[in-house]
Amino acid sequence: MTTQVEARSGERLPHGLGVILRVLAAGPLGYALGAMTALVAARHLPGPARDAAQAAMMLGFLVHGGVVIWVFAAASAARAWAWLCPLGVALLLAWRLP
């Protein structure tokens, strides 16, 4: 049954390696994306600084939780990484904007 699931999802990695890649994408990469989202939002949200920072932190937690859920719902670990890495680069570029 395991080979049918792997063949259907198109993932050619061994099952253990796929799980490790998903955990790495959900944990450290998800945290980094949440933190970068909070930085970008805090910098660009209007209003008093403390309100913007609080709203940005809440948004960062939502992003991290969403990334964790999405990584394990993706069809393959490679697809999850292929979507998350460009998103991280885009957030990094948005943080550098004036």
Side-chain angles (χ1 to χ4, degrees), residues 56-67:
M57 286 302 297
M58 289 189 283
L59 181 62
F61 285 127
L62 287 174
V63 167
H64 183 233
V67 166

Side-chain angles (χ1 to χ4, degrees), residues 28-40:
L29 188 59
Y31 179 80
L33 288 174
M36 285 195 299
T37 301
L39 287 173
V40 170

